[in-house]
Amino acid sequence: MTLYLRHYWKDERLSFPSTTNKSMTFDSRLVKKIWVPDVFFVHSKRSFIHDTTTDNIMLRVYPDGQVLYSMRITVTAMCNMDFSRFPLDTQTCSLELESYAYTDEDLMLYWKKGNESLKTDEKISLSQFLIQKFHTTSRLAFYSSTGWYNRLYINFTLRRHIFFFLLQTYFPSTLMVMLSWVSFWIDRRAVPARVSLGITTVLTMSTIITGVNASMPRVSYIKAVDIYLWVSFVFVFLSVLEYAAVNYLTTVQERKERKLREKFPCTCGMSHTKTMMLDGIYGDPDSNSLAGYTKSQIVAEDVEKQVVHLAISPNSSASRKKGKGHVGLRLMQNTHAIDTYSRMIFPASFIFFNLIYWSVFC
């Protein structure tokens, strides 16, 4: 932070007679020959007075002994920040000034005009923060070895800009989660397509998480961005596990069907790709292929299984008239029931999570 630090005090030893009541201005050479406050910045990591093209120090003395001492300083100070809500956080930082040698009994520091003592450029801006407000305070600081000192505070309330993190973190991670849902609409038998899509989204989420953590201080608590990224990673990882479950159940189902076909090799003239269930309602072309079979259920299994069931009703002619030739059949579908439910559950859950997340942290 670069600032102009101005001190005001009265030293009657510097008073001089003047008929015009005009002040006298001096440069830094006189500063070393008079008394000036020994103010320093507490918790400063690095600070210096600008010296281009000469020392940026000005001393102005009035006839009655009033002194204005101004200098241009750049200060790098420490600020304790809480990143638990990062990057949706608001930080409060302070710049502290204190006399190094003089206690409160020798030197009293105070703001000349309170909050009006702080003047900032209207166009001032920070790359990551928006300065919401600033104010001044003063307190006493105690040191066990030297005593009490007056300390002045400049308190800044900073709110972090969120747009950069929306573009670099939140938006890409949201797209990766939505991209993982595409696998629910891909044929479950297209193993290379679904596996490669799942692995790509998982690796991309891992890269995003690593990149965010690499640019952040290593803190021992969870940040708001960590919650969003890891929940997104869980959604992407669950989409991979979902296909693993679908593939496993499909393999088990096909194994059972294979055993049933070996046990009952006759499929009544119907190919395997047209596996159907006839439940008392059938059409003319199918009724001819069922000639010679009795009224019994050849295979007694659950209707969800892709196995032929025959149960011819005795009043087939009446059923044919009422049903108008409707054939109650169920073709084997390419989409597993888990994929169907996932198409609704995953988006709904992610939207619900976003509603809670942004309502809590914004």
Side-chain angles (χ1 to χ4, degrees):
M1 177 185 298
T2 300
L3 52 90
Y4 294 93
L5 183 61
R6 297 186 175 97
H7 305 76
Y8 298 88
W9 73 91
K10 185 176 182 179
D11 190 345
E12 295 180 353
R13 296 173 298 178
L14 299 178
S15 61
F16 60 92
S18 175
T19 56
T20 59
N21 198 28
K22 291 185 178 180
S23 62
M24 299 179 64
T25 303
F26 306 93
D27 56 16
S28 60
R29 291 174 292 179
L30 184 62
V31 173
K32 299 178 182 179
K33 299 179 181 181
I34 65 172
W35 179 89
V36 293
D38 57 343
V39 175
F40 75 102
F41 292 94
V42 185
H43 307 308
S44 172
K45 301 178 67 176
R46 182 174 179 269
S47 60
F48 61 92
I49 299 175
H50 290 259
D51 56 0
T52 305
T53 58
T54 183
D55 292 340
N56 295 175
I57 297 176
M58 182 269 290
L59 184 68
R60 182 173 296 169
V61 182
Y62 294 88
D64 59 351
Q66 295 285 344
V67 180
L68 167 60
Y69 175 45
S70 176
M71 51 187 166
R72 182 169 173 248
I73 305 176
T74 294
V75 182
T76 303
M78 180 182 65
C79 179
N80 294 323
M81 294 186 177
D82 181 14
F83 293 102
S84 58
R85 300 177 66 90
F86 176 87
L88 307 171
D89 54 336
T90 299
Q91 305 291 343
T92 301
C93 298
S94 61
L95 196 62
E96 306 173 11
L97 297 89
E98 182 181 307
S99 173
Y100 189 81
Y102 301 103
T103 64
D104 62 331
E105 297 178 355
D106 302 323
L107 178 65
M108 184 178 67
L109 297 177
Y110 63 93
W111 295 106
K112 185 178 182 181
K113 298 181 181 179
N115 289 336
E116 294 182 358
S117 300
L118 299 177
K119 300 295 183 180
T120 59
D121 188 355
E122 296 181 355
K123 298 181 180 180
I124 188 172
S125 62
L126 300 176
S127 59
Q128 292 193 34
F129 292 97
L130 170 67
I131 302 178
Q132 289 187 324
K133 61 180 180 179
F134 51 86
H135 63 280
T136 62
T137 57
S138 61
R139 290 197 295 268
L140 289 176
F142 176 73
Y143 298 92
S144 59
S145 59
T146 55
W148 294 89
Y149 294 82
N150 287 110
R151 181 176 294 183
L152 304 180
Y153 295 83
I154 307 175
N155 301 307
F156 300 90
T157 301
L158 308 174
R159 183 172 182 82
R160 195 181 303 273
H161 293 299
I162 185 60
F163 188 71
F164 171 80
F165 298 96
L166 287 176
L167 292 180
Q168 298 295 324
T169 304
Y170 288 96
F171 188 63
S173 60
T174 302
L175 286 182
M176 287 301 103
V177 174
M178 298 175 64
L179 183 61
S180 67
W181 300 340
V182 176
S183 63
F184 303 150
W185 276 266
I186 300 178
D187 194 325
R188 59 177 174 172
R189 290 187 295 268
V191 178
R194 296 189 64 164
V195 171
S196 60
L197 180 61
I199 293 177
T200 301
T201 52
V202 168
L203 294 178
T204 304
M205 283 302 306
S206 301
T207 303
I208 294 175
I209 294 174
T210 303
V212 172
N213 291 330
S215 60
M216 283 292 300
R218 289 176 175 83
V219 294
S220 58
Y221 49 84
I222 299 176
K223 304 179 291 292
V225 68
D226 294 334
I227 296 176
Y228 194 90
L229 290 178
W230 280 104
V231 170
S232 300
F233 182 85
V234 169
F235 271 95
V236 171
F237 189 72
L238 286 178
S239 66
V240 178
L241 294 182
E242 183 270 348
Y243 178 64
V246 169
N247 186 268
Y248 173 76
L249 294 177
T250 302
T251 304
V252 172
Q253 190 177 37
E254 291 177 351
R255 188 181 298 115
K256 290 181 179 180
E257 294 174 5
R258 191 179 303 109
K259 291 181 179 179
L260 289 173
R261 286 197 303 271
E262 293 175 356
K263 185 176 181 181
F264 302 96
C266 180
T267 57
C268 309
M270 292 178 288
S271 63
H272 178 63
T273 57
K274 294 184 178 181
T275 306
M276 63 184 67
M277 183 190 74
L278 302 179
D279 190 13
I281 304 175
Y282 54 90
D284 293 333
D286 297 323
S287 61
N288 296 330
S289 63
L290 299 177
Y293 287 88
T294 60
K295 298 185 300 179
S296 61
Q297 185 175 355
I298 295 181
V299 181
E301 292 290 337
D302 191 281
V303 295
E304 292 293 332
K305 297 196 166 118
Q306 302 165 9
V307 181
V308 176
H309 290 270
L310 300 179
I312 308 286
S313 175
N315 52 357
S316 59
S317 59
S319 300
R320 185 164 52 250
K321 293 179 181 179
K322 294 181 180 180
K324 295 182 180 180
H326 175 268
V327 179
L329 54 85
R330 180 174 182 171
L331 298 177
M332 186 178 68
Q333 300 178 352
N334 292 329
T335 304
H336 198 274
I338 298 180
D339 281 341
T340 304
Y341 291 129
S342 298
R343 295 171 186 174
M344 298 179 293
I345 295 176
F346 274 72
S349 301
F350 191 69
I351 292 174
F352 180 71
F353 161 72
N354 275 272
L355 291 176
I356 295 178
Y357 180 87
W358 294 108
S359 62
V360 169
F361 290 103
C362 285

